[in-house]
mmCIF file of all heavy atoms in Angstrom:
data_model
loop_
_atom_site.group_PDB
_atom_site.id
_atom_site.type_symbol
_atom_site.label_atom_id
_atom_site.label_comp_id
_atom_site.label_asym_id
_atom_site.label_seq_id
_atom_site.Cartn_x
_atom_site.Cartn_y
_atom_site.Cartn_z
ATOM 1 N N GLY A 32 232.157 48.786 81.682
ATOM 2 C CA GLY A 32 232.299 47.712 82.664
ATOM 3 C C GLY A 32 233.450 46.784 82.326
ATOM 4 O O GLY A 32 234.222 46.377 83.196
ATOM 5 N N LEU A 33 233.581 46.449 81.057
ATOM 6 C CA LEU A 33 234.677 45.589 80.623
ATOM 7 C C LEU A 33 236.027 46.273 80.842
ATOM 8 O O LEU A 33 236.972 45.651 81.326
ATOM 9 C CB LEU A 33 234.506 45.222 79.147
ATOM 10 C CG LEU A 33 235.534 44.269 78.556
ATOM 11 C CD1 LEU A 33 235.492 42.933 79.276
ATOM 12 C CD2 LEU A 33 235.282 44.075 77.072
ATOM 13 N N ALA A 34 236.116 47.559 80.522
ATOM 14 C CA ALA A 34 237.363 48.295 80.731
ATOM 15 C C ALA A 34 237.701 48.373 82.226
ATOM 16 O O ALA A 34 238.860 48.217 82.618
ATOM 17 C CB ALA A 34 237.257 49.698 80.139
ATOM 18 N N GLY A 35 236.700 48.584 83.065
ATOM 19 C CA GLY A 35 236.933 48.631 84.507
ATOM 20 C C GLY A 35 237.396 47.296 85.056
ATOM 21 O O GLY A 35 238.307 47.236 85.879
ATOM 22 N N TRP A 36 236.767 46.220 84.589
ATOM 23 C CA TRP A 36 237.177 44.887 85.028
ATOM 24 C C TRP A 36 238.604 44.608 84.616
ATOM 25 O O TRP A 36 239.384 44.064 85.384
ATOM 26 C CB TRP A 36 236.227 43.838 84.438
ATOM 27 C CG TRP A 36 236.692 42.444 84.683
ATOM 28 C CD1 TRP A 36 236.536 41.723 85.829
ATOM 29 C CD2 TRP A 36 237.425 41.612 83.786
ATOM 30 N NE1 TRP A 36 237.114 40.485 85.694
ATOM 31 C CE2 TRP A 36 237.673 40.393 84.440
ATOM 32 C CE3 TRP A 36 237.894 41.777 82.491
ATOM 33 C CZ2 TRP A 36 238.368 39.353 83.836
ATOM 34 C CZ3 TRP A 36 238.578 40.732 81.893
ATOM 35 C CH2 TRP A 36 238.810 39.540 82.560
ATOM 36 N N TRP A 37 238.972 44.996 83.383
ATOM 37 C CA TRP A 37 240.326 44.744 82.887
ATOM 38 C C TRP A 37 241.358 45.487 83.736
ATOM 39 O O TRP A 37 242.393 44.932 84.095
ATOM 40 C CB TRP A 37 240.425 45.154 81.418
ATOM 41 C CG TRP A 37 241.779 44.902 80.843
ATOM 42 C CD1 TRP A 37 242.727 45.815 80.545
ATOM 43 C CD2 TRP A 37 242.348 43.633 80.508
ATOM 44 N NE1 TRP A 37 243.847 45.212 80.050
ATOM 45 C CE2 TRP A 37 243.638 43.864 80.019
ATOM 46 C CE3 TRP A 37 241.884 42.326 80.585
ATOM 47 C CZ2 TRP A 37 244.475 42.838 79.608
ATOM 48 C CZ3 TRP A 37 242.720 41.317 80.167
ATOM 49 C CH2 TRP A 37 243.996 41.582 79.685
ATOM 50 N N GLN A 38 241.075 46.750 84.068
ATOM 51 C CA GLN A 38 242.001 47.528 84.904
ATOM 52 C C GLN A 38 242.106 46.919 86.298
ATOM 53 O O GLN A 38 243.187 46.830 86.868
ATOM 54 C CB GLN A 38 241.550 48.986 85.003
ATOM 55 C CG GLN A 38 241.795 49.781 83.752
ATOM 56 C CD GLN A 38 243.276 49.979 83.482
ATOM 57 O OE1 GLN A 38 244.161 49.402 84.098
ATOM 58 N NE2 GLN A 38 243.574 50.814 82.509
ATOM 59 N N TRP A 39 240.990 46.498 86.870
ATOM 60 C CA TRP A 39 241.003 45.884 88.195
ATOM 61 C C TRP A 39 241.835 44.613 88.174
ATOM 62 O O TRP A 39 242.629 44.365 89.078
ATOM 63 C CB TRP A 39 239.569 45.581 88.621
ATOM 64 C CG TRP A 39 239.502 44.775 89.879
ATOM 65 C CD1 TRP A 39 239.662 45.228 91.156
ATOM 66 C CD2 TRP A 39 239.288 43.365 89.966
ATOM 67 N NE1 TRP A 39 239.543 44.177 92.045
ATOM 68 C CE2 TRP A 39 239.317 43.026 91.338
ATOM 69 C CE3 TRP A 39 239.071 42.366 89.032
ATOM 70 C CZ2 TRP A 39 239.142 41.723 91.779
ATOM 71 C CZ3 TRP A 39 238.889 41.073 89.480
ATOM 72 C CH2 TRP A 39 238.927 40.768 90.831
ATOM 73 N N ARG A 40 241.675 43.836 87.120
ATOM 74 C CA ARG A 40 242.407 42.577 86.999
ATOM 75 C C ARG A 40 243.911 42.844 86.886
ATOM 76 O O ARG A 40 244.715 42.154 87.486
ATOM 77 C CB ARG A 40 241.905 41.816 85.774
ATOM 78 C CG ARG A 40 242.537 40.475 85.595
ATOM 79 C CD ARG A 40 241.890 39.757 84.411
ATOM 80 N NE ARG A 40 242.601 38.557 84.111
ATOM 81 C CZ ARG A 40 243.570 38.446 83.216
ATOM 82 N NH1 ARG A 40 243.934 39.495 82.519
ATOM 83 N NH2 ARG A 40 244.177 37.309 83.003
ATOM 84 N N ARG A 41 244.306 43.851 86.101
ATOM 85 C CA ARG A 41 245.723 44.179 85.936
ATOM 86 C C ARG A 41 246.322 44.683 87.239
ATOM 87 O O ARG A 41 247.464 44.364 87.560
ATOM 88 C CB ARG A 41 245.911 45.210 84.826
ATOM 89 C CG ARG A 41 245.755 44.626 83.441
ATOM 90 C CD ARG A 41 246.088 45.628 82.368
ATOM 91 N NE ARG A 41 247.326 46.334 82.555
ATOM 92 C CZ ARG A 41 248.525 45.910 82.155
ATOM 93 N NH1 ARG A 41 248.631 44.763 81.553
ATOM 94 N NH2 ARG A 41 249.592 46.642 82.346
ATOM 95 N N ARG A 42 245.590 45.482 87.976
ATOM 96 C CA ARG A 42 246.116 46.008 89.240
ATOM 97 C C ARG A 42 246.249 44.916 90.289
ATOM 98 O O ARG A 42 247.067 45.011 91.190
ATOM 99 C CB ARG A 42 245.207 47.103 89.773
ATOM 100 C CG ARG A 42 245.329 48.376 89.016
ATOM 101 C CD ARG A 42 244.524 49.461 89.661
ATOM 102 N NE ARG A 42 244.498 50.627 88.802
ATOM 103 C CZ ARG A 42 243.498 51.442 88.699
ATOM 104 N NH1 ARG A 42 242.411 51.237 89.415
ATOM 105 N NH2 ARG A 42 243.554 52.472 87.891
ATOM 106 N N ARG A 43 245.417 43.918 90.184
ATOM 107 C CA ARG A 43 245.407 42.838 91.154
ATOM 108 C C ARG A 43 246.665 41.986 91.051
ATOM 109 O O ARG A 43 247.114 41.413 92.023
ATOM 110 C CB ARG A 43 244.169 41.986 90.899
ATOM 111 C CG ARG A 43 243.816 41.057 91.986
ATOM 112 C CD ARG A 43 242.588 40.306 91.594
ATOM 113 N NE ARG A 43 242.919 39.504 90.419
ATOM 114 C CZ ARG A 43 242.262 38.447 90.044
ATOM 115 N NH1 ARG A 43 241.217 38.076 90.706
ATOM 116 N NH2 ARG A 43 242.623 37.767 88.995
ATOM 117 N N LEU A 44 247.261 41.887 89.855
ATOM 118 C CA LEU A 44 248.450 41.062 89.649
ATOM 119 C C LEU A 44 249.690 41.796 90.142
ATOM 120 O O LEU A 44 249.839 42.995 89.937
ATOM 121 C CB LEU A 44 248.627 40.742 88.170
ATOM 122 C CG LEU A 44 247.534 39.901 87.507
ATOM 123 C CD1 LEU A 44 247.824 39.760 86.028
ATOM 124 C CD2 LEU A 44 247.427 38.548 88.156
ATOM 125 N N SER A 45 250.572 41.057 90.776
ATOM 126 C CA SER A 45 251.832 41.653 91.205
ATOM 127 C C SER A 45 252.729 41.844 89.983
ATOM 128 O O SER A 45 252.513 41.213 88.943
ATOM 129 C CB SER A 45 252.527 40.748 92.219
ATOM 130 O OG SER A 45 253.074 39.617 91.568
ATOM 131 N N PRO A 46 253.734 42.712 90.078
ATOM 132 C CA PRO A 46 254.659 42.887 88.946
ATOM 133 C C PRO A 46 255.333 41.582 88.549
ATOM 134 O O PRO A 46 255.591 41.339 87.378
ATOM 135 C CB PRO A 46 255.677 43.899 89.460
ATOM 136 C CG PRO A 46 255.031 44.582 90.602
ATOM 137 C CD PRO A 46 254.035 43.616 91.171
ATOM 138 N N TYR A 47 255.593 40.732 89.523
ATOM 139 C CA TYR A 47 256.229 39.451 89.233
ATOM 140 C C TYR A 47 255.302 38.550 88.433
ATOM 141 O O TYR A 47 255.736 37.858 87.519
ATOM 142 C CB TYR A 47 256.656 38.765 90.541
ATOM 143 C CG TYR A 47 257.640 39.595 91.319
ATOM 144 C CD1 TYR A 47 257.228 40.325 92.418
ATOM 145 C CD2 TYR A 47 258.964 39.669 90.930
ATOM 146 C CE1 TYR A 47 258.124 41.106 93.127
ATOM 147 C CE2 TYR A 47 259.865 40.439 91.631
ATOM 148 C CZ TYR A 47 259.449 41.165 92.729
ATOM 149 O OH TYR A 47 260.334 41.928 93.403
ATOM 150 N N GLU A 48 254.025 38.576 88.776
ATOM 151 C CA GLU A 48 253.066 37.758 88.031
ATOM 152 C C GLU A 48 252.903 38.270 86.603
ATOM 153 O O GLU A 48 252.790 37.478 85.670
ATOM 154 C CB GLU A 48 251.715 37.753 88.741
ATOM 155 C CG GLU A 48 251.701 36.938 90.016
ATOM 156 C CD GLU A 48 250.387 37.054 90.755
ATOM 157 O OE1 GLU A 48 249.967 38.198 91.047
ATOM 158 O OE2 GLU A 48 249.792 36.011 91.032
ATOM 159 N N ARG A 49 252.889 39.589 86.428
ATOM 160 C CA ARG A 49 252.780 40.148 85.068
ATOM 161 C C ARG A 49 253.996 39.761 84.228
ATOM 162 O O ARG A 49 253.872 39.370 83.070
ATOM 163 C CB ARG A 49 252.612 41.662 85.125
ATOM 164 C CG ARG A 49 251.215 42.088 85.515
ATOM 165 C CD ARG A 49 250.950 43.545 85.205
ATOM 166 N NE ARG A 49 251.805 44.465 85.933
ATOM 167 C CZ ARG A 49 251.528 44.966 87.122
ATOM 168 N NH1 ARG A 49 250.419 44.627 87.746
ATOM 169 N NH2 ARG A 49 252.343 45.809 87.708
ATOM 170 N N LEU A 50 255.194 39.859 84.814
ATOM 171 C CA LEU A 50 256.403 39.457 84.094
ATOM 172 C C LEU A 50 256.389 37.961 83.785
ATOM 173 O O LEU A 50 256.779 37.538 82.696
ATOM 174 C CB LEU A 50 257.647 39.800 84.913
ATOM 175 C CG LEU A 50 258.034 41.269 84.960
ATOM 176 C CD1 LEU A 50 259.170 41.477 85.957
ATOM 177 C CD2 LEU A 50 258.437 41.768 83.592
ATOM 178 N N ALA A 51 255.921 37.180 84.732
ATOM 179 C CA ALA A 51 255.866 35.737 84.516
ATOM 180 C C ALA A 51 254.886 35.391 83.403
ATOM 181 O O ALA A 51 255.168 34.535 82.564
ATOM 182 C CB ALA A 51 255.464 35.034 85.813
ATOM 183 N N ARG A 52 253.746 36.064 83.355
ATOM 184 C CA ARG A 52 252.778 35.816 82.280
ATOM 185 C C ARG A 52 253.355 36.187 80.925
ATOM 186 O O ARG A 52 253.166 35.483 79.937
ATOM 187 C CB ARG A 52 251.488 36.585 82.531
ATOM 188 C CG ARG A 52 250.651 35.988 83.631
ATOM 189 C CD ARG A 52 249.447 36.860 83.897
ATOM 190 N NE ARG A 52 248.736 36.381 85.051
ATOM 191 C CZ ARG A 52 247.518 35.856 85.003
ATOM 192 N NH1 ARG A 52 246.887 35.769 83.855
ATOM 193 N NH2 ARG A 52 246.925 35.441 86.090
ATOM 194 N N ARG A 53 254.070 37.316 80.875
ATOM 195 C CA ARG A 53 254.679 37.724 79.600
ATOM 196 C C ARG A 53 255.745 36.721 79.168
ATOM 197 O O ARG A 53 255.820 36.340 78.007
ATOM 198 C CB ARG A 53 255.297 39.120 79.723
ATOM 199 C CG ARG A 53 255.768 39.625 78.380
ATOM 200 C CD ARG A 53 256.386 40.999 78.399
ATOM 201 N NE ARG A 53 256.026 41.831 79.511
ATOM 202 C CZ ARG A 53 256.792 42.788 79.989
ATOM 203 N NH1 ARG A 53 257.966 43.017 79.454
ATOM 204 N NH2 ARG A 53 256.405 43.529 80.996
ATOM 205 N N ALA A 54 256.569 36.275 80.118
ATOM 206 C CA ALA A 54 257.594 35.281 79.795
ATOM 207 C C ALA A 54 256.950 33.975 79.347
ATOM 208 O O ALA A 54 257.446 33.310 78.435
ATOM 209 C CB ALA A 54 258.504 35.049 81.007
ATOM 210 N N ASP A 55 255.822 33.623 79.952
ATOM 211 C CA ASP A 55 255.115 32.410 79.550
ATOM 212 C C ASP A 55 254.604 32.533 78.109
ATOM 213 O O ASP A 55 254.747 31.601 77.317
ATOM 214 C CB ASP A 55 253.951 32.140 80.504
ATOM 215 C CG ASP A 55 253.218 30.866 80.167
ATOM 216 O OD1 ASP A 55 253.866 29.802 80.144
ATOM 217 O OD2 ASP A 55 251.999 30.930 79.908
ATOM 218 N N ARG A 56 254.035 33.678 77.773
ATOM 219 C CA ARG A 56 253.572 33.888 76.386
ATOM 220 C C ARG A 56 254.734 33.816 75.409
ATOM 221 O O ARG A 56 254.626 33.213 74.340
ATOM 222 C CB ARG A 56 252.863 35.239 76.256
ATOM 223 C CG ARG A 56 251.477 35.271 76.836
ATOM 224 C CD ARG A 56 250.734 36.539 76.455
ATOM 225 N NE ARG A 56 251.445 37.756 76.772
ATOM 226 C CZ ARG A 56 251.331 38.430 77.912
ATOM 227 N NH1 ARG A 56 250.533 37.990 78.857
ATOM 228 N NH2 ARG A 56 252.012 39.541 78.119
ATOM 229 N N ASN A 57 255.861 34.417 75.779
ATOM 230 C CA ASN A 57 257.036 34.369 74.908
ATOM 231 C C ASN A 57 257.552 32.947 74.748
ATOM 232 O O ASN A 57 257.923 32.531 73.647
ATOM 233 C CB ASN A 57 258.146 35.271 75.452
ATOM 234 C CG ASN A 57 257.791 36.731 75.370
ATOM 235 O OD1 ASN A 57 256.916 37.131 74.614
ATOM 236 N ND2 ASN A 57 258.461 37.548 76.161
ATOM 237 N N GLY A 58 257.579 32.207 75.837
ATOM 238 C CA GLY A 58 258.028 30.816 75.773
ATOM 239 C C GLY A 58 257.122 29.978 74.890
ATOM 240 O O GLY A 58 257.579 29.175 74.077
ATOM 241 N N ARG A 59 255.819 30.176 75.011
ATOM 242 C CA ARG A 59 254.870 29.440 74.165
ATOM 243 C C ARG A 59 255.029 29.815 72.694
ATOM 244 O O ARG A 59 254.929 28.957 71.811
ATOM 245 C CB ARG A 59 253.440 29.689 74.622
ATOM 246 C CG ARG A 59 253.122 29.048 75.948
ATOM 247 C CD ARG A 59 251.698 29.369 76.388
ATOM 248 N NE ARG A 59 251.457 28.964 77.729
ATOM 249 C CZ ARG A 59 251.034 27.758 78.085
ATOM 250 N NH1 ARG A 59 250.836 26.843 77.174
ATOM 251 N NH2 ARG A 59 250.827 27.474 79.347
ATOM 252 N N ALA A 60 255.287 31.100 72.432
ATOM 253 C CA ALA A 60 255.496 31.530 71.044
ATOM 254 C C ALA A 60 256.758 30.880 70.471
ATOM 255 O O ALA A 60 256.778 30.490 69.299
ATOM 256 C CB ALA A 60 255.598 33.053 70.979
ATOM 257 N N LEU A 61 257.784 30.768 71.290
ATOM 258 C CA LEU A 61 259.013 30.113 70.820
ATOM 259 C C LEU A 61 258.783 28.628 70.541
ATOM 260 O O LEU A 61 259.307 28.086 69.570
ATOM 261 C CB LEU A 61 260.132 30.290 71.844
ATOM 262 C CG LEU A 61 260.790 31.662 71.849
ATOM 263 C CD1 LEU A 61 261.666 31.808 73.083
ATOM 264 C CD2 LEU A 61 261.599 31.865 70.586
ATOM 265 N N LEU A 62 257.990 27.973 71.387
ATOM 266 C CA LEU A 62 257.678 26.564 71.133
ATOM 267 C C LEU A 62 256.872 26.403 69.845
ATOM 268 O O LEU A 62 257.111 25.484 69.060
ATOM 269 C CB LEU A 62 256.914 25.969 72.318
ATOM 270 C CG LEU A 62 257.724 25.753 73.586
ATOM 271 C CD1 LEU A 62 256.817 25.309 74.724
ATOM 272 C CD2 LEU A 62 258.835 24.750 73.350
ATOM 273 N N GLN A 63 255.943 27.309 69.618
ATOM 274 C CA GLN A 63 255.157 27.265 68.380
ATOM 275 C C GLN A 63 256.060 27.517 67.176
ATOM 276 O O GLN A 63 255.932 26.849 66.145
ATOM 277 C CB GLN A 63 254.035 28.292 68.429
ATOM 278 C CG GLN A 63 253.141 28.263 67.209
ATOM 279 C CD GLN A 63 252.017 29.282 67.297
ATOM 280 O OE1 GLN A 63 251.867 29.986 68.286
ATOM 281 N NE2 GLN A 63 251.237 29.356 66.243
#
Side-chain angles (χ1 to χ4, degrees):
L33 183 61
W36 172 81
W37 181 254
Q38 286 293 10
W39 172 78
R40 183 176 172 266
R41 285 186 49 86
R42 286 186 188 146
R43 195 180 64 158
L44 296 176
S45 74
Y47 300 102
E48 288 175 305
R49 283 196 297 271
L50 285 172
R52 286 176 187 247
R53 187 180 338 153
D55 182 58
R56 285 191 306 269
N57 292 340
R59 290 178 190 272
L61 283 168
L62 289 174
Q63 183 179 357

